[in-house]
Amino acid sequence: MTLTLYSDQGSGNCYKVRLLMHQLGYDLDIIEVDVAGDGCRTPEFRAINPLGKVPTMILDEGMVLSESNAILLHFADETQYMPMDHFDKSLMFQWLFWEQYSHEPAIAVARYAMHYLGKTEKEDPRLPQLWEKGYGALDMMENHLKDKTFFVAERYSIADIALFAYTHVAYQGGFDLNNYPHVRAWIERVKSQPRWKSMDEI
Amino acid sequence: MTLTLYSDQGSGNCYKVRLLMHQLGYDLDIIEVDVAGDGCRTPEFRAINPLGKVPTMILDEGMVLSESNAILLHFADETQYMPMDHFDKSLMFQWLFWEQYSHEPAIAVARYAMHYLGKTEKEDPRLPQLWEKGYGALDMMENHLKDKTFFVAERYSIADIALFAYTHVAYQGGFDLNNYPHVRAWIERVKSQPRWKSMDEI
């Protein structure tokens, strides 16, 4: 089975998919798309994925799938990376949606401004607001993890992969995790998972 | 089985859940939370749901579930409102995440500013940017629906419920659907589904 992934090397959303696929043992044909260079907005790319986003996975029969967490769900189904219990699965969905609505739009966007575009607070006036929102999300993660090893059902799942992607590089968006000991311990637990690879390695 | 839903009457995210639950025939004990009045930020509400959001569903055994689309997934599983085929299910996930990332943060936020808070363009300088982003989302919906009756697998599913919630009231956020004939026809198709109810009726 040949799978093609349109991916941006530095994107946490793309890294999520590369990490799960590596942990599951899939070979991927990766096509690099430069998000900062508007590679998602070209007519050629829009012809492949009208939603104009990476990651975009081309499945075996020419089927196209977009949205990082939807791709995670597609491949994690019935593997060890997805909880089996119905309510645990629902909690995993909850964290996946929370990540895309309440975490990524703050932490990833601040990181994009600072790390990709090299903007300072003066050059991007949204940054203080993104930091406030992002620290609010980190507070919720810290609170949740104070008596848990992983986000759902005490085992590593795609909820952890999704939340790890931008949390472990949050410093690149100006976030200091010093006051988040449970988040930092969880980051180390994720890194110690079998077949875990860093963003640069895969 | 008694289910309790913390809900804001005018919230599209809460309406999604009320609509599906009505279509599935569940009785709900609904507790009204005033979002604009900061009802989600009280210590009492945070003790129930630390994520501080509505809708929040309290399940039978005191289990708490947050995030509108996660609640839809929990109850739609193995019903007619969820596609059966694995790839169709993945496409449904794609549209649910797209709704929360690319649609709701523009259309619902513009509606919130104008309809809930009564702000004008002068009073909320984010509005032109929200309109631009929201029309971009509507363009993608129009393009997708030009040869389809529903978002996934040619049948009404929770992907439609999720996207309908804020699209059918987009005018309250200053959006004009006049140039979106396929979106308008799809809105009518959703409204003609068995047991469909308007936001005010349930």
Side-chain angles (χ1 to χ4, degrees), chain A residues 70-85:
Chain A
I71 301 173
L72 294 184
L73 286 166
H74 183 85
F75 289 99
D77 196 36
E78 293 185 15
T79 74
Q80 62 178 295
Y81 301 102
M82 195 178 298
M84 300 300 283
D85 174 76

Side-chain angles (χ1 to χ4, degrees), chain A residues 46 51 53 63 65-67 69-70 74 77 86-87 90 93-94 97-98 100-102 104 140, chain B residues 46 51 53 63 65-67 69-70 73-74 77 86-87 90 93-94 97-98 100-102 104 140:
Chain A
R46 292 276 176 141
L51 298 180
K53 284 182 169 188
M63 298 180 293
L65 190 60
S66 186
E67 297 293 331
N69 291 352
H74 183 85
D77 196 36
H86 185 63
F87 182 63
S90 300
F93 289 135
Q94 169 192 290
F97 285 108
W98 184 84
Q100 283 289 285
Y101 194 87
S102 299
E104 205 266 16
M140 288 180 185
Chain B
R46 293 276 175 143
L51 298 180
K53 284 181 169 188
M63 299 180 293
L65 190 60
S66 187
E67 298 294 329
N69 291 352
L73 286 165
H74 182 85
D77 196 37
H86 185 63
F87 183 63
S90 300
F93 289 135
Q94 169 192 288
F97 285 107
W98 184 83
Q100 283 289 287
Y101 194 87
S102 299
E104 204 267 16
M140 287 180 186

Side-chain angles (χ1 to χ4, degrees), chain B residues 68-120:
Chain B
S68 57
N69 291 352
I71 301 172
L72 294 184
L73 286 165
H74 182 85
F75 289 100
D77 196 37
E78 294 184 15
T79 74
Q80 63 178 295
Y81 301 100
M82 194 176 302
M84 301 300 284
D85 174 75
H86 185 63
F87 183 63
D88 286 339
K89 207 181 251 194
S90 300
L91 287 177
M92 175 204 63
F93 289 135
Q94 169 192 288
W95 286 109
L96 293 180
F97 285 107
W98 184 83
E99 187 267 335
Q100 283 289 287
Y101 194 87
S102 299
H103 182 285
E104 204 267 16
I107 294 175
V109 173
R111 174 177 176 263
Y112 188 80
M114 294 178 70
H115 186 67
Y116 272 58
L117 306 179
K119 302 284 187 194
T120 63

Side-chain angles (χ1 to χ4, degrees), chain A residues 6-184:
Chain A
Y6 288 83
S7 170
D8 176 295
Q9 187 62 37
S11 152
N13 284 326
C14 296
Y15 170 55
K16 291 176 191 175
V17 174
R18 296 201 307 273
L19 177 56
L20 175 70
M21 297 307 275
H22 179 78
Q23 290 185 312
L24 286 171
Y26 283 90
D27 275 329
L28 287 182
D29 187 5
I30 292 181
I31 299 177
E32 185 68 15
V33 178
D34 178 15
V35 169
D38 269 355
C40 290
R41 293 174 192 270
T42 63
E44 293 75 20
F45 188 72
R46 292 276 176 141
I48 295 163
N49 179 3
L51 298 180
K53 284 182 169 188
V54 291
T56 294
M57 184 72 87
I58 313 295
L59 289 104
D60 200 24
E61 306 90 25
M63 298 180 293
V64 176
L65 190 60
S66 186
E67 297 293 331
S68 56
N69 291 352
I71 301 173
L72 294 184
L73 286 166
H74 183 85
F75 289 99
D77 196 36
E78 293 185 15
T79 74
Q80 62 178 295
Y81 301 102
M82 195 178 298
M84 300 300 283
D85 174 76
H86 185 63
F87 182 63
D88 286 339
K89 208 181 252 192
S90 300
L91 287 177
M92 175 203 62
F93 289 135
Q94 169 192 290
W95 285 110
L96 293 180
F97 285 108
W98 184 84
E99 187 266 336
Q100 283 289 285
Y101 194 87
S102 299
H103 182 285
E104 205 266 16
I107 295 176
V109 172
R111 174 177 175 262
Y112 188 79
M114 294 179 70
H115 186 67
Y116 271 59
L117 306 179
K119 301 285 187 194
T120 63
E121 194 176 336
K122 269 192 187 160
E123 291 163 333
D124 191 334
R126 298 172 309 166
L127 279 168
Q129 204 178 322
L130 294 171
W131 292 328
E132 188 189 339
K133 187 177 170 183
Y135 278 120
L138 290 168
D139 289 346
M140 288 180 185
M141 291 174 69
E142 181 73 9
N143 178 55
H144 185 71
L145 290 168
K146 68 179 186 288
D147 54 3
K148 294 180 186 69
T149 51
F150 294 105
F151 271 84
V152 180
E154 289 297 279
R155 51 186 274 194
Y156 178 69
S157 75
I158 55 173
D160 301 290
I161 293 179
L163 284 160
F164 175 81
Y166 286 107
T167 305
H168 85 297
V169 290
Y171 69 91
Q172 294 174 341
F175 294 94
D176 180 355
L177 296 190
N178 205 38
N179 291 329
Y180 296 90
H182 296 105
V183 171
R184 284 188 283 115

Side-chain angles (χ1 to χ4, degrees), chain B residues 101-168:
Chain B
Y101 194 87
S102 299
H103 182 285
E104 204 267 16
I107 294 175
V109 173
R111 174 177 176 263
Y112 188 80
M114 294 178 70
H115 186 67
Y116 272 58
L117 306 179
K119 302 284 187 194
T120 63
E121 194 176 338
K122 270 192 186 161
E123 292 163 332
D124 191 335
R126 298 171 310 166
L127 280 168
Q129 204 177 320
L130 294 172
W131 291 328
E132 188 189 339
K133 187 175 171 183
Y135 277 120
L138 290 167
D139 288 346
M140 287 180 186
M141 292 174 70
E142 181 72 8
N143 178 54
H144 184 71
L145 290 168
K146 67 178 187 287
D147 54 3
K148 295 179 185 71
T149 51
F150 293 105
F151 270 84
V152 179
E154 290 297 278
R155 51 186 274 195
Y156 177 68
S157 75
I158 55 172
D160 301 289
I161 292 179
L163 284 160
F164 176 81
Y166 286 106
T167 305
H168 86 296

